Amino acid sequence: MSPLILGIETSCDETAAAVIQDGCRILSNVVASQADLHARYGGVYPELASREHMLKIIPVIDTALRDAQVSWRDLSALAVTHGPGLAGSLLVGVNAAKGIALGQNLPLLGMNHLEGHIYANWLDAGLPYVAQTEDVFPLVALIASGGHSSLVLMRGHGEYTELGHTIDDAAGEAFDKIARLLGLGYPGGPAIQRAAEAGDAAAFKLPRAQTQRPYDFSFSGLKTAVLNLTKKLDARALLVNDIAASAQAAIVDMLVEKTQRAAETCAARMVLLAGGVAANQRLRERMRARVACPVLYPPPKLCVDNAAMIASAATWHYRARAHSGWDLDVIPNLKLTLAVMSG
Ligand code: KG4
Ligand code: ZN
């Protein structure tokens, strides 16, 4: 029988719930975004985020069940993100999930948010997706979000080896900080992408940092270079677009170069893009042009935080009977390699 899983995600500033069948079919996918609430602070305000999750969590879960036209009795399990993320935000989702799982007598699956981002690529959402192909491993996944940037070798479900990670800012954080310097607002990634469309990517020569380890990333030098540039130049609209385009090109070049090298060295069968930055159009195009094996990425709304990806990742945990206990706790700094099978 194909598992029907309700996923819950509250690790940062989106309250989300989704119902997924068989790991790939999206029956419902509800996301209540707090972006507008946090925009005036230029980033996520943790205290505000957890309070907002408290208000939204039950209506969002109700809507996910209603949209999917399923009842509690139809579900196979309940999956919830328990890390990494903001402690106060994670607690809202984990406690809601525990209460419901206990009340409805459903298995509880504690999920890693980063594993969820990778599994957004298993969802059937109009683009090529992993579940369509039989031999997919080994694969290389680039996780690039607001809080994380790493390159992961995946040899099978749950078999993760981290090849490298950022030594300073995450790629999404670099987009957000540079957007702030340019007065483009929050979240910065989509704003920079939009501004870059009207700009010249070759206008400014910005640094592409080299790192000691071959698969690590570093974005802080780029941020400083942009800061110096904005001090030197008058921030007229035209220049803002050119700086945005040049900065986007630098971030994308760094991500593509390391990913391409990892895919080649690991003889990857495919490359998956994951996390909010995977929504970036230039990143998608450049990666496809440079990498020899197929490059997959989810549609933009499944790249950013959502619960469909959590329920998708939970499906193989469910099949492996890797249920969590009632002592499931939030782990704000949960690592991808440690989360697997333990819940
Ligand atoms: O995965 P996500 O929703 O949240 C985290 O888990 O961090 O990622 C959010 C990040 C933000 O930094 C945002 O600026 C970035 O993803 N992002 C983008 C784009 N859309 C979102 N970065 C570049 N280009 C985009 N189109
Ligand atoms: Zn995320």
Side-chain angles (χ1 to χ4, degrees):
M1 222 192 58
S2 52
L4 195 65
I5 296 185
L6 173 77
I8 297 174
E9 155 66 40
T10 64
S11 69
C12 191
D13 61 343
E14 325 280 359
T15 319
V19 178
I20 301 298
Q21 188 168 37
D22 215 13
C24 62
R25 272 195 61 210
I26 304 174
L27 301 193
S28 66
N29 184 24
V30 182
V31 181
S33 174
Q34 305 177 5
D36 291 347
L37 194 69
H38 300 286
R40 79 186 97 141
Y41 304 102
V44 179
Y45 194 132
E47 171 78 17
L48 219 56
S50 44
R51 282 167 183 262
E52 194 65 13
H53 285 309
M54 289 282 284
L55 296 175
K56 297 280 170 63
I57 186 79
I58 299 298
V60 162
I61 292 172
D62 272 348
T63 309
L65 288 177
R66 208 168 333 116
D67 285 0
Q69 298 187 322
V70 299
S71 68
W72 294 113
R73 260 173 299 132
D74 303 319
L75 293 176
S76 316
L78 208 69
V80 62
T81 304
H82 75 123
L86 300 168
S89 291
L90 291 163
L91 271 168
V92 177
V94 166
N95 282 324
K98 273 190 190 177
I100 296 168
L102 192 62
Q104 299 293 338
N105 200 21
L106 284 166
L108 177 69
L109 302 160
M111 300 303 305
N112 183 303
H113 181 78
L114 302 175
E115 189 179 28
H117 273 304
I118 294 176
Y119 276 79
N121 284 288
W122 262 259
L123 292 165
D124 178 1
L127 292 180
Y129 60 104
V130 180
Q132 287 172 312
T133 312
E134 250 174 42
D135 285 326
V136 298
F137 302 115
L139 63 81
V140 164
L142 169 68
I143 306 174
S145 71
H148 300 270
S149 289
S150 54
L151 265 172
V152 174
L153 170 65
M154 195 176 168
R155 291 198 180 83
H157 292 294
E159 295 177 49
Y160 300 104
T161 309
E162 194 189 76
L163 301 170
H165 55 253
T166 181
I167 55 170
D168 40 56
D169 293 343
E173 198 179 353
F175 271 107
D176 293 339
K177 287 180 175 170
I178 290 170
R180 201 169 174 175
L181 288 174
L182 298 178
L184 291 173
Y186 169 86
I192 289 204
Q193 179 170 313
R194 257 190 320 274
E197 279 166 20
D200 174 8
F204 298 101
K205 220 175 151 9
L206 294 169
R208 275 81 168 148
Q210 294 301 321
T211 51
Q212 268 188 340
R213 291 174 5 116
Y215 305 119
D216 281 349
F217 302 108
S218 168
F219 301 104
S220 69
L222 172 66
K223 186 188 59 193
T224 309
V226 172
L227 175 65
N228 292 337
L229 204 57
T230 54
K231 278 186 187 154
K232 238 178 15 207
L233 298 167
D234 239 354
R236 280 165 293 167
L238 193 61
L239 290 182
V240 167
N241 293 341
D242 285 346
I243 299 172
S246 305
Q248 175 178 258
I251 296 173
V252 167
D253 279 356
M254 288 186 262
L255 294 173
V256 170
E257 193 206 315
K258 304 288 169 90
T259 309
Q260 187 264 336
R261 195 185 296 168
E264 208 172 286
T265 310
C266 301
R269 287 215 163 96
M270 56 173 66
V271 163
L272 306 183
L273 306 186
V277 179
N280 188 271
Q281 195 54 35
R282 187 181 175 100
L283 175 67
R284 294 163 169 228
E285 285 163 10
R286 291 284 158 138
M287 198 68 85
R288 281 226 159 126
R290 277 281 299 280
V291 174
C293 62
V295 175
L296 267 55
Y297 40 76
K301 78 173 210 194
L302 294 176
C303 290
V304 291
D305 289 350
N306 65 86
M309 66 186 198
I310 301 301
S312 173
T315 305
W316 80 263
H317 287 247
Y318 175 77
R319 290 199 168 112
R321 298 185 174 281
H323 302 167
S324 303
W326 297 119
D327 58 350
L328 179 71
D329 199 358
V330 303
I331 307 181
N333 63 353
L334 184 64
K335 300 283 178 279
L336 184 60
T337 39
L338 294 181
V340 173
M341 302 303 288
S342 56

PDB file of all heavy atoms in Angstrom, residues 1 7 78 82 106 108-109 118 134 175 192 196 218 223 228 254-255 279 291-292 294 303 309 321 327:
ATOM      1  N   MET A   1       0.840  -1.212   0.000  1.00  0.00           N
ATOM      2  CA  MET A   1       0.000   0.000   0.000  1.00  0.00           C
ATOM      3  C   MET A   1       0.866   1.249   0.000  1.00  0.00           C
ATOM      4  O   MET A   1       1.898   1.279   0.652  1.00  0.00           O
ATOM      5  CB  MET A   1      -0.911  -0.016   1.228  1.00  0.00           C
ATOM      6  CG  MET A   1      -2.311   0.425   0.899  1.00  0.00           C
ATOM      7  SD  MET A   1      -3.297   0.728   2.377  1.00  0.00           S
ATOM      8  CE  MET A   1      -2.382   1.964   3.232  1.00  0.00           C
ATOM      9  N   GLY A   7       2.996  15.947   6.497  1.00  0.00           N
ATOM     10  CA  GLY A   7       4.245  16.593   6.921  1.00  0.00           C
ATOM     11  C   GLY A   7       3.950  17.932   7.569  1.00  0.00           C
ATOM     12  O   GLY A   7       3.004  18.625   7.178  1.00  0.00           O
ATOM     13  N   LEU A  78       2.724  10.661  10.641  1.00  0.00           N
ATOM     14  CA  LEU A  78       2.850  12.109  10.781  1.00  0.00           C
ATOM     15  C   LEU A  78       4.348  12.426  10.836  1.00  0.00           C
ATOM     16  O   LEU A  78       5.066  11.845  11.647  1.00  0.00           O
ATOM     17  CB  LEU A  78       2.220  12.490  12.121  1.00  0.00           C
ATOM     18  CG  LEU A  78       1.641  13.872  12.262  1.00  0.00           C
ATOM     19  CD1 LEU A  78       0.414  13.990  11.398  1.00  0.00           C
ATOM     20  CD2 LEU A  78       1.260  14.111  13.720  1.00  0.00           C
ATOM     21  N   HIS A  82      12.375  18.377  13.090  1.00  0.00           N
ATOM     22  CA  HIS A  82      12.808  18.639  14.479  1.00  0.00           C
ATOM     23  C   HIS A  82      14.200  19.281  14.520  1.00  0.00           C
ATOM     24  O   HIS A  82      14.776  19.462  15.575  1.00  0.00           O
ATOM     25  CB  HIS A  82      12.709  17.377  15.341  1.00  0.00           C
ATOM     26  CG  HIS A  82      13.764  16.351  15.121  1.00  0.00           C
ATOM     27  ND1 HIS A  82      14.575  15.890  16.131  1.00  0.00           N
ATOM     28  CD2 HIS A  82      14.154  15.697  14.001  1.00  0.00           C
ATOM     29  CE1 HIS A  82      15.406  14.974  15.645  1.00  0.00           C
ATOM     30  NE2 HIS A  82      15.167  14.846  14.357  1.00  0.00           N
ATOM     31  N   LEU A 106      -1.048   7.617  15.552  1.00  0.00           N
ATOM     32  CA  LEU A 106      -0.279   7.545  14.296  1.00  0.00           C
ATOM     33  C   LEU A 106       1.219   7.482  14.608  1.00  0.00           C
ATOM     34  O   LEU A 106       1.675   8.108  15.571  1.00  0.00           O
ATOM     35  CB  LEU A 106      -0.535   8.811  13.458  1.00  0.00           C
ATOM     36  CG  LEU A 106      -1.863   8.910  12.716  1.00  0.00           C
ATOM     37  CD1 LEU A 106      -2.096  10.329  12.225  1.00  0.00           C
ATOM     38  CD2 LEU A 106      -1.872   7.930  11.546  1.00  0.00           C
ATOM     39  N   LEU A 108       4.990   8.571  14.573  1.00  0.00           N
ATOM     40  CA  LEU A 108       5.592   9.902  14.504  1.00  0.00           C
ATOM     41  C   LEU A 108       6.987   9.778  13.898  1.00  0.00           C
ATOM     42  O   LEU A 108       7.768   8.903  14.278  1.00  0.00           O
ATOM     43  CB  LEU A 108       5.683  10.466  15.930  1.00  0.00           C
ATOM     44  CG  LEU A 108       6.338  11.826  16.125  1.00  0.00           C
ATOM     45  CD1 LEU A 108       5.473  12.936  15.530  1.00  0.00           C
ATOM     46  CD2 LEU A 108       6.581  12.100  17.617  1.00  0.00           C
ATOM     47  N   LEU A 109       7.291  10.656  12.929  1.00  0.00           N
ATOM     48  CA  LEU A 109       8.611  10.614  12.285  1.00  0.00           C
ATOM     49  C   LEU A 109       9.270  11.980  12.424  1.00  0.00           C
ATOM     50  O   LEU A 109       8.792  12.965  11.852  1.00  0.00           O
ATOM     51  CB  LEU A 109       8.461  10.261  10.793  1.00  0.00           C
ATOM     52  CG  LEU A 109       7.754   8.940  10.472  1.00  0.00           C
ATOM     53  CD1 LEU A 109       7.245   8.928   9.036  1.00  0.00           C
ATOM     54  CD2 LEU A 109       8.700   7.777  10.694  1.00  0.00           C
ATOM     55  N   ILE A 118      16.488  18.135   0.159  1.00  0.00           N
ATOM     56  CA  ILE A 118      16.962  17.218  -0.896  1.00  0.00           C
ATOM     57  C   ILE A 118      15.781  16.477  -1.522  1.00  0.00           C
ATOM     58  O   ILE A 118      15.664  16.363  -2.737  1.00  0.00           O
ATOM     59  CB  ILE A 118      17.988  16.204  -0.326  1.00  0.00           C
ATOM     60  CG1 ILE A 118      19.267  16.936   0.110  1.00  0.00           C
ATOM     61  CG2 ILE A 118      18.296  15.111  -1.342  1.00  0.00           C
ATOM     62  CD1 ILE A 118      20.309  16.034   0.772  1.00  0.00           C
ATOM     63  N   GLU A 134      15.319   5.066 -12.347  1.00  0.00           N
ATOM     64  CA  GLU A 134      15.578   3.928 -11.472  1.00  0.00           C
ATOM     65  C   GLU A 134      16.918   4.009 -10.746  1.00  0.00           C
ATOM     66  O   GLU A 134      16.979   3.973  -9.536  1.00  0.00           O
ATOM     67  CB  GLU A 134      15.472   2.636 -12.260  1.00  0.00           C
ATOM     68  CG  GLU A 134      14.233   1.874 -11.823  1.00  0.00           C
ATOM     69  CD  GLU A 134      13.979   0.657 -12.637  1.00  0.00           C
ATOM     70  OE1 GLU A 134      14.946  -0.059 -12.940  1.00  0.00           O
ATOM     71  OE2 GLU A 134      12.793   0.433 -12.957  1.00  0.00           O
ATOM     72  N   PHE A 175      23.078  36.282  -0.525  1.00  0.00           N
ATOM     73  CA  PHE A 175      22.076  36.994  -1.331  1.00  0.00           C
ATOM     74  C   PHE A 175      21.345  38.018  -0.453  1.00  0.00           C
ATOM     75  O   PHE A 175      21.146  39.164  -0.845  1.00  0.00           O
ATOM     76  CB  PHE A 175      21.053  36.010  -1.918  1.00  0.00           C
ATOM     77  CG  PHE A 175      21.443  35.433  -3.258  1.00  0.00           C
ATOM     78  CD1 PHE A 175      21.864  34.116  -3.375  1.00  0.00           C
ATOM     79  CD2 PHE A 175      21.374  36.209  -4.405  1.00  0.00           C
ATOM     80  CE1 PHE A 175      22.216  33.582  -4.607  1.00  0.00           C
ATOM     81  CE2 PHE A 175      21.715  35.680  -5.656  1.00  0.00           C
ATOM     82  CZ  PHE A 175      22.148  34.359  -5.753  1.00  0.00           C
ATOM     83  N   ILE A 192      17.408  40.134  -5.774  1.00  0.00           N
ATOM     84  CA  ILE A 192      18.647  40.261  -6.565  1.00  0.00           C
ATOM     85  C   ILE A 192      18.430  39.683  -7.961  1.00  0.00           C
ATOM     86  O   ILE A 192      18.856  40.258  -8.956  1.00  0.00           O
ATOM     87  CB  ILE A 192      19.823  39.568  -5.840  1.00  0.00           C
ATOM     88  CG1 ILE A 192      20.192  40.414  -4.616  1.00  0.00           C
ATOM     89  CG2 ILE A 192      21.006  39.365  -6.781  1.00  0.00           C
ATOM     90  CD1 ILE A 192      21.576  40.275  -4.104  1.00  0.00           C
ATOM     91  N   ALA A 196      18.924  41.841 -11.223  1.00  0.00           N
ATOM     92  CA  ALA A 196      19.991  41.387 -12.125  1.00  0.00           C
ATOM     93  C   ALA A 196      19.508  41.280 -13.570  1.00  0.00           C
ATOM     94  O   ALA A 196      20.296  41.424 -14.509  1.00  0.00           O
ATOM     95  CB  ALA A 196      20.532  40.045 -11.645  1.00  0.00           C
ATOM     96  N   SER A 218      32.925  29.939   0.383  1.00  0.00           N
ATOM     97  CA  SER A 218      33.134  31.137   1.199  1.00  0.00           C
ATOM     98  C   SER A 218      32.527  32.330   0.463  1.00  0.00           C
ATOM     99  O   SER A 218      32.826  32.557  -0.704  1.00  0.00           O
ATOM    100  CB  SER A 218      34.631  31.367   1.423  1.00  0.00           C
ATOM    101  OG  SER A 218      34.829  32.657   1.965  1.00  0.00           O
ATOM    102  N   LYS A 223      30.769  39.662  -0.057  1.00  0.00           N
ATOM    103  CA  LYS A 223      29.917  40.636   0.647  1.00  0.00           C
ATOM    104  C   LYS A 223      30.714  41.910   0.951  1.00  0.00           C
ATOM    105  O   LYS A 223      30.235  43.025   0.724  1.00  0.00           O
ATOM    106  CB  LYS A 223      29.417  39.991   1.943  1.00  0.00           C
ATOM    107  CG  LYS A 223      28.433  40.778   2.722  1.00  0.00           C
ATOM    108  CD  LYS A 223      28.181  40.103   4.060  1.00  0.00           C
ATOM    109  CE  LYS A 223      29.454  39.971   4.870  1.00  0.00           C
ATOM    110  NZ  LYS A 223      29.359  39.086   6.023  1.00  0.00           N
ATOM    111  N   ASN A 228      32.287  47.614  -0.140  1.00  0.00           N
ATOM    112  CA  ASN A 228      33.259  48.626  -0.556  1.00  0.00           C
ATOM    113  C   ASN A 228      32.812  49.324  -1.833  1.00  0.00           C
ATOM    114  O   ASN A 228      32.983  50.531  -1.985  1.00  0.00           O
ATOM    115  CB  ASN A 228      34.639  47.990  -0.758  1.00  0.00           C
ATOM    116  CG  ASN A 228      35.219  47.536   0.572  1.00  0.00           C
ATOM    117  OD1 ASN A 228      34.841  48.050   1.634  1.00  0.00           O
ATOM    118  ND2 ASN A 228      36.106  46.559   0.542  1.00  0.00           N
ATOM    119  N   MET A 254      30.710  30.261  -8.030  1.00  0.00           N
ATOM    120  CA  MET A 254      31.331  29.487  -6.944  1.00  0.00           C
ATOM    121  C   MET A 254      30.560  28.193  -6.700  1.00  0.00           C
ATOM    122  O   MET A 254      31.156  27.130  -6.522  1.00  0.00           O
ATOM    123  CB  MET A 254      31.397  30.322  -5.659  1.00  0.00           C
ATOM    124  CG  MET A 254      32.434  31.438  -5.747  1.00  0.00           C
ATOM    125  SD  MET A 254      32.609  32.296  -4.164  1.00  0.00           S
ATOM    126  CE  MET A 254      31.592  33.733  -4.406  1.00  0.00           C
ATOM    127  N   LEU A 255      29.234  28.286  -6.694  1.00  0.00           N
ATOM    128  CA  LEU A 255      28.413  27.092  -6.443  1.00  0.00           C
ATOM    129  C   LEU A 255      28.583  26.070  -7.568  1.00  0.00           C
ATOM    130  O   LEU A 255      28.724  24.869  -7.331  1.00  0.00           O
ATOM    131  CB  LEU A 255      26.935  27.480  -6.295  1.00  0.00           C
ATOM    132  CG  LEU A 255      26.566  28.329  -5.072  1.00  0.00           C
ATOM    133  CD1 LEU A 255      25.114  28.792  -5.149  1.00  0.00           C
ATOM    134  CD2 LEU A 255      26.798  27.545  -3.769  1.00  0.00           C
ATOM    135  N   ALA A 279      16.156  27.987  -6.379  1.00  0.00           N
ATOM    136  CA  ALA A 279      15.140  28.672  -7.197  1.00  0.00           C
ATOM    137  C   ALA A 279      15.782  29.648  -8.172  1.00  0.00           C
ATOM    138  O   ALA A 279      15.132  30.141  -9.089  1.00  0.00           O
ATOM    139  CB  ALA A 279      14.162  29.423  -6.289  1.00  0.00           C
ATOM    140  N   VAL A 291      27.521  20.807 -15.922  1.00  0.00           N
ATOM    141  CA  VAL A 291      27.600  19.450 -15.375  1.00  0.00           C
ATOM    142  C   VAL A 291      27.189  18.426 -16.436  1.00  0.00           C
ATOM    143  O   VAL A 291      26.199  18.613 -17.138  1.00  0.00           O
ATOM    144  CB  VAL A 291      26.683  19.332 -14.119  1.00  0.00           C
ATOM    145  CG1 VAL A 291      26.618  17.914 -13.602  1.00  0.00           C
ATOM    146  CG2 VAL A 291      27.188  20.266 -13.027  1.00  0.00           C
ATOM    147  N   ALA A 292      27.975  17.331 -16.520  1.00  0.00           N
ATOM    148  CA  ALA A 292      27.744  16.358 -17.591  1.00  0.00           C
ATOM    149  C   ALA A 292      26.500  15.488 -17.333  1.00  0.00           C
ATOM    150  O   ALA A 292      25.772  15.154 -18.265  1.00  0.00           O
ATOM    151  CB  ALA A 292      28.969  15.477 -17.745  1.00  0.00           C
ATOM    152  N   PRO A 294      22.604  14.476 -15.611  1.00  0.00           N
ATOM    153  CA  PRO A 294      21.368  15.260 -15.472  1.00  0.00           C
ATOM    154  C   PRO A 294      21.366  16.112 -14.192  1.00  0.00           C
ATOM    155  O   PRO A 294      21.831  15.656 -13.145  1.00  0.00           O
ATOM    156  CB  PRO A 294      20.273  14.199 -15.400  1.00  0.00           C
ATOM    157  CG  PRO A 294      20.862  12.990 -16.028  1.00  0.00           C
ATOM    158  CD  PRO A 294      22.339  13.039 -15.754  1.00  0.00           C
ATOM    159  N   CYS A 303      11.439  24.764  -3.677  1.00  0.00           N
ATOM    160  CA  CYS A 303      12.838  24.993  -3.261  1.00  0.00           C
ATOM    161  C   CYS A 303      12.857  25.659  -1.899  1.00  0.00           C
ATOM    162  O   CYS A 303      13.669  25.328  -1.037  1.00  0.00           O
ATOM    163  CB  CYS A 303      13.551  25.920  -4.252  1.00  0.00           C
ATOM    164  SG  CYS A 303      13.871  25.169  -5.848  1.00  0.00           S
ATOM    165  N   MET A 309       8.131  18.569   1.085  1.00  0.00           N
ATOM    166  CA  MET A 309       9.462  17.949   1.046  1.00  0.00           C
ATOM    167  C   MET A 309       9.721  17.122   2.314  1.00  0.00           C
ATOM    168  O   MET A 309      10.399  16.101   2.269  1.00  0.00           O
ATOM    169  CB  MET A 309      10.536  19.030   0.865  1.00  0.00           C
ATOM    170  CG  MET A 309      10.677  19.988   2.044  1.00  0.00           C
ATOM    171  SD  MET A 309      11.841  21.330   1.679  1.00  0.00           S
ATOM    172  CE  MET A 309      12.195  21.923   3.366  1.00  0.00           C
ATOM    173  N   ARG A 321      10.570   1.704   8.716  1.00  0.00           N
ATOM    174  CA  ARG A 321      10.031   1.652  10.087  1.00  0.00           C
ATOM    175  C   ARG A 321      10.887   2.416  11.089  1.00  0.00           C
ATOM    176  O   ARG A 321      11.015   2.026  12.255  1.00  0.00           O
ATOM    177  CB  ARG A 321       9.866   0.201  10.548  1.00  0.00           C
ATOM    178  CG  ARG A 321       8.892  -0.570   9.685  1.00  0.00           C
ATOM    179  CD  ARG A 321       8.667  -1.965  10.230  1.00  0.00           C
ATOM    180  NE  ARG A 321       7.623  -2.630   9.459  1.00  0.00           N
ATOM    181  CZ  ARG A 321       6.328  -2.419   9.629  1.00  0.00           C
ATOM    182  NH1 ARG A 321       5.911  -1.577  10.540  1.00  0.00           N
ATOM    183  NH2 ARG A 321       5.439  -3.043   8.879  1.00  0.00           N
ATOM    184  N   ASP A 327       9.810  10.833  23.063  1.00  0.00           N
ATOM    185  CA  ASP A 327      10.817  11.746  23.605  1.00  0.00           C
ATOM    186  C   ASP A 327      11.459  12.591  22.496  1.00  0.00           C
ATOM    187  O   ASP A 327      12.463  13.261  22.721  1.00  0.00           O
ATOM    188  CB  ASP A 327      11.899  10.970  24.364  1.00  0.00           C
ATOM    189  CG  ASP A 327      12.585   9.940  23.484  1.00  0.00           C
ATOM    190  OD1 ASP A 327      12.098   9.692  22.356  1.00  0.00           O
ATOM    191  OD2 ASP A 327      13.613   9.379  23.918  1.00  0.00           O
TER     192      ASP A 327
END
